[in-house]
């Protein structure tokens, strides 16, 4: 694993916290405490809460938990490279523990963001608008904590001296829904220029996502892997919130799929609902590091010269119709200059002027779908390029980092309609419109497998695959380099042992 840029928090806020914004293990009882320093300005606190979203752009921690355990990503060891004491293999093979690096870091980073939002909510100087934005950000962090860990350490702002209470998954989901409903009217409408801020449309998206997963979140913890019963009222709420975004008329599908991740995506894409805004050449870029998304996968001899790490799985790659534009594309100013294509990279790779690249031993650089996760050579594995590198500034690009986008709104609506009526013509139309827009043929009917596969083809490597697989009941199934079905309890991660010792209100998840 390579070192990445650390997130910088304004110094006035930093003194309220212990530790740094890296991956250190921080005391939850400190992190989730409302500050008693009344001189802190709420605008600085709010800025810090937004900046901490940059933790999602690391290839480790939160992002690693959302992707490596799924059927679309794996991190093979290549000789002496990428072993890291087995951390990436353990995620892929579902053998993590409550001491695993990424489990600890994800918990800490999510609670840090939650705590920074609480700082705003507990500040008497904060305006109603600032508190509304902070409550959205807190709901954002709570959503991921609920999804990944199955419970949330929640500070009662009316009793800041008490230990955070432990909200169950069901209670946390209800809190997220209540908070988002409460603040929606106080948030600004999306304008295209404010996609880096909490807006009504961003709140509607997160509401739709929570309702879509509410069957998972309200499931008996003793049977956390399902099967799930999707309430009609929840699916109606998904449709209602999706329609609020659709009917706003502010968003539309990009004619070029990779425009959503281009270094000029803020101007090229009309799909971006909530992002981390990045400016080319900015020294810190709000703590965001979109460059990780190409460095973590490209080979040393490609441009950008990457870390030769993560790959997709053969079955996932093979699930695409090769006419699908999402499989890959040439990018003007990149492919014609340095040879790098967007999408899935397989077979012989090329550099500037169409020259065939070689590996470090001088053999042809040919990426293969076969891969040994414990002992891969440097060319094994299909690579993925989602975010387009800006060759004029590879390390500080201007790609806005995407959390919520319009295609997901359409997919959520289609799934909700389908779950209410498996023969829904409206659901089929939405899916087919998306497929045709992406260059592949329409379907004649829908199944659960069709919808999950379409979500995979549209949203790959964006941090949703584990979440989707759990909802569709495929998360525990064997995949390439994980040959046996996983225990059902693995659908949630363990609470780190240190947190259990700090806060006795938290209880270890079943199975750990």
């Amino acid at each position: 694993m390579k070192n990445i840029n650390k997130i910088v928090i304004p110094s006035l806020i930093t003194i309220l916290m212990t530790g740094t914004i890296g991956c250190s293990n921080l005391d939850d009882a400190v992190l989730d405490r409302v500050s008693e320093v009344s001189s802190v300005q709420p605008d600085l606190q709010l800025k810090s809460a937004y900046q901490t979203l940059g933790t999602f752009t690391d290839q480790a921690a939160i992002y690693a938990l959302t992707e490596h355990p799924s059927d679309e990503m794996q991190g093979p060891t290549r000789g002496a490279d990428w072993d890291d004491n087995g951390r990436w293999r353990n995620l892929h093979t579902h053998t993590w523990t409550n001491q695993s690096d990424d489990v600890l870091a994800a918990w800490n980073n999510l609670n840090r963001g939650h705590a920074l939002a609480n700082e705003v909510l507990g500040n008497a100087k904060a305006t109603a608008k600032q508190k509304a934005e902070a409550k959205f950000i807190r709901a954002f962090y709570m959503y991921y904590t609920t999804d990944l860990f199955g419970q949330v350490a929640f500070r009662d702002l009316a009793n800041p001296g008490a230990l955070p209470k432990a909200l169950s998954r069901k209670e946390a989901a209800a809190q997220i829904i209540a908070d988002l409903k409460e603040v929606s009217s106080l948030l600004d409408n999306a304008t295209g220029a404010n996609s880096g801020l909490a807006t009504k449309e961003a709140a509607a998206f997160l509401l739709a996502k929570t309702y879509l997963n509410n069957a998972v979140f309200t499931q008996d913890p003793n049977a956390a892997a399902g099967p799930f019963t999707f309430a009609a009222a929840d699916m109606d709420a998904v449709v209602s919130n999706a329609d609020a975004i659709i009917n706003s008329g502010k968003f539309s599908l990009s004619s070029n799929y990779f425009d959503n991740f281009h270094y000029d995506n803020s101007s090229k894409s009309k799909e971006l609902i909530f992002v981390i805004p990045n400016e080319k050449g900015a020294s810190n870029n709000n703590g965001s590091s979109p460059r990780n998304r190409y460095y973590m996968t490209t080979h040393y001899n490609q441009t950008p010269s990457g870390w030769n790490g993560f790959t997709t799985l053969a079955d996932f790659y093979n699930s695409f119709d090769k006419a699908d534009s999402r499989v890959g594309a040439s990018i003007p100013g990149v492919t014609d200059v340095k040879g790098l294509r967007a999408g899935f990279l397989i077979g012989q790779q090329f550099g500037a002027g169409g020259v065939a690249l070689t590996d470090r031993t001088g053999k042809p650089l040919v990426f293969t779908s076969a891969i040994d996760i414990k002992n891969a050579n440097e060319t094994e594995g299909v690579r993925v390029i989602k975010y387009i590198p800006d060759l004029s500034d590879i390390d500080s690009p201007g790609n806005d980092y995407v959390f919520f986008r319009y295609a997901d709104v359409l997919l959520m609506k289609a799934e909700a309609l389908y779950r209410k009526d498996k023969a829904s013509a409206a659901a089929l139309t939405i899916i087919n419109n998306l497929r045709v827009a992406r260059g592949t043929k329409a379907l004649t009917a829908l199944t659960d497998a069709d919808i999950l596969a379409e979500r995979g083809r549209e949203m790959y490597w964006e941090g949703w695959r584990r979440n989707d697989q759990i909802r569709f009941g495929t998360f525990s199934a064997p995949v390439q380099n994980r040959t046996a079905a996983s225990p059902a309890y693995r659908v949630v991660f363990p609470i780190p042992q240190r947190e259990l010792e700090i806060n006795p209100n938290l209880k270890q998840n079943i199975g750990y």
Side-chain angles (χ1 to χ4, degrees):
M1 174 181 167
K2 306 294 183 183
N3 239 346
I4 65 162
N5 295 332
K6 302 300 182 186
I7 293 169
V8 177
I9 297 295
S11 58
L12 192 57
I13 305 302
T14 306
I15 63 172
L16 305 177
M17 319 304 258
T18 62
T20 69
I21 297 298
C23 295
S24 57
N25 189 18
L26 301 183
D27 186 326
D28 178 68
V30 174
L31 281 175
D32 203 18
R33 179 170 63 216
V34 177
S35 170
E36 298 175 359
V37 183
S38 60
S39 62
V40 178
Q41 295 301 311
D43 58 334
L44 289 179
Q45 293 174 327
L46 188 58
K47 181 179 179 182
S48 294
Y50 276 116
Q51 283 187 326
T52 304
L53 293 170
T55 59
F56 282 78
T57 70
D58 193 339
Q59 75 274 10
I62 302 166
Y63 182 75
L65 297 194
T66 65
E67 286 291 352
H68 280 276
S70 78
D71 66 353
E72 70 177 17
M73 184 180 287
Q74 57 189 332
T77 296
R78 304 178 189 276
D81 295 338
W82 286 99
D83 181 66
D84 294 323
N85 295 315
R87 71 186 288 185
W88 313 109
R89 290 195 307 275
N90 290 341
L91 289 176
H92 183 70
T93 58
H94 294 189
T95 54
W96 55 77
T97 72
N98 67 354
Q99 297 295 322
S100 294
D101 289 345
D102 296 291
V103 171
L104 293 166
W107 174 269
N108 287 339
N109 291 343
L110 290 167
N111 279 280
R112 184 178 300 111
H114 182 151
L116 287 167
N118 274 350
E119 292 286 346
V120 182
L121 295 173
N123 192 325
K125 297 179 181 180
T127 66
K129 171 72 179 313
Q130 289 171 327
K131 289 187 176 183
E133 290 189 56
K135 194 160 282 191
F136 167 84
I137 297 170
R138 187 179 72 176
F140 183 94
Y141 281 104
M142 285 181 62
Y143 175 88
Y144 279 91
T145 309
T146 302
D147 181 42
L148 294 171
F149 292 99
Q151 55 188 299
V152 173
F154 188 79
R155 174 70 61 184
D156 181 359
L157 297 179
N159 188 15
L163 284 172
K165 56 186 177 182
L167 297 184
S168 68
R169 240 181 175 185
K170 182 177 181 179
E171 292 169 334
Q175 183 73 49
I176 292 165
I177 290 169
D179 285 349
L180 292 171
K181 285 182 173 180
E182 175 192 341
V183 304
S184 181
S185 63
L186 297 173
L187 298 174
D188 290 337
N189 293 309
T191 64
N194 62 353
S195 57
L197 301 174
T199 62
K200 287 180 170 62
E201 288 77 6
F205 184 105
L206 189 52
L207 274 168
K209 188 67 75 173
T210 307
Y211 278 117
L212 186 64
N213 289 280
N214 210 27
V216 179
F217 294 161
T218 58
Q219 179 79 1
D220 181 349
N222 290 290
F228 308 113
T229 300
F230 294 86
D234 286 342
M235 298 303 99
D236 287 340
V238 175
V239 173
S240 175
N241 281 284
D243 280 344
I245 298 169
I246 294 166
N247 295 336
S248 73
K250 298 170 184 175
F251 304 96
S252 60
L253 289 176
S254 296
S255 57
N256 184 327
Y257 177 71
F258 293 103
D259 281 351
N260 295 309
F261 312 97
H262 195 275
Y263 46 86
D264 286 330
N265 60 348
S266 59
S267 59
K268 284 179 172 289
S269 173
K270 290 200 69 175
E271 292 194 33
L272 309 186
I273 297 171
F274 185 55
V275 305
I276 299 175
N278 292 310
E279 296 296 329
K280 176 180 175 178
S283 59
N284 181 45
N285 252 343
N286 296 317
S288 172
S289 186
R291 71 180 194 137
N292 287 344
R293 293 300 175 263
Y294 39 84
Y295 273 114
M296 70 188 191
T297 192
T298 54
H299 185 270
Y300 312 108
N301 292 344
Q302 292 180 289
T303 302
S305 175
W307 305 330
N308 202 37
F310 305 155
T311 79
T312 195
L313 280 65
D315 285 346
F316 187 79
Y317 169 72
N318 290 330
S319 72
F320 284 76
D321 178 342
K322 297 308 180 281
D324 193 325
S325 65
R326 297 169 292 195
V327 172
S330 295
I331 305 298
V334 178
T335 310
D336 54 333
V337 176
K338 291 295 184 180
L340 188 75
R341 290 173 55 84
F344 295 91
L345 309 183
I346 188 170
Q348 176 66 55
Q349 300 302 298
F350 298 91
V355 174
L357 295 174
T358 61
D359 65 18
R360 290 182 294 181
T361 69
K363 296 178 181 178
L365 184 61
V366 178
F367 294 149
T368 64
S369 59
I371 189 165
D372 181 345
I373 196 170
K374 291 184 178 180
N375 189 28
N377 65 40
E378 64 183 84
T379 64
E380 289 181 29
V382 180
R383 313 308 166 86
V384 177
I385 298 295
K386 201 85 183 261
Y387 283 83
I388 311 302
D390 183 348
L391 298 181
S392 67
D393 199 334
I394 290 173
D395 287 331
S396 299
N399 317 61
D400 287 353
Y401 187 83
V402 182
F403 289 121
F404 301 163
R405 65 183 179 91
Y406 185 65
D408 199 358
V409 174
L410 300 176
L411 287 166
M412 287 193 291
K413 179 178 178 179
E415 182 181 335
L417 292 170
Y418 170 82
R419 292 197 182 280
K420 286 194 68 178
D421 175 10
K422 295 295 179 74
S424 171
L428 180 61
T429 297
I430 292 170
I431 295 291
N432 280 338
N433 286 344
L434 177 62
R435 286 175 59 82
V436 171
R438 302 309 191 206
T440 192
K441 61 185 179 181
L443 303 173
T444 58
L446 286 178
T447 65
D448 284 27
D450 290 328
I451 296 177
L452 177 60
E454 200 59 38
R455 285 199 58 84
R457 286 186 282 261
E458 181 65 28
M459 308 302 299
Y460 66 90
W461 282 38
E462 292 182 52
W464 294 116
R465 189 60 176 175
R466 169 194 163 276
N467 174 274
D468 290 341
Q469 283 199 280
I470 291 170
R471 197 170 62 255
F472 280 90
T474 68
F475 179 72
S476 300
V479 295
Q480 184 182 26
N481 291 314
R482 189 176 74 236
T483 57
S486 302
Y489 70 84
R490 292 280 177 176
V491 296
V492 292
F493 291 97
I495 306 300
Q497 182 60 36
R498 178 175 171 82
E499 302 308 315
L500 299 174
E501 296 167 358
I502 290 169
N503 184 357
N505 292 330
L506 294 165
K507 306 299 180 185
Q508 187 55 274
N509 288 322
I510 292 168
Y512 291 103

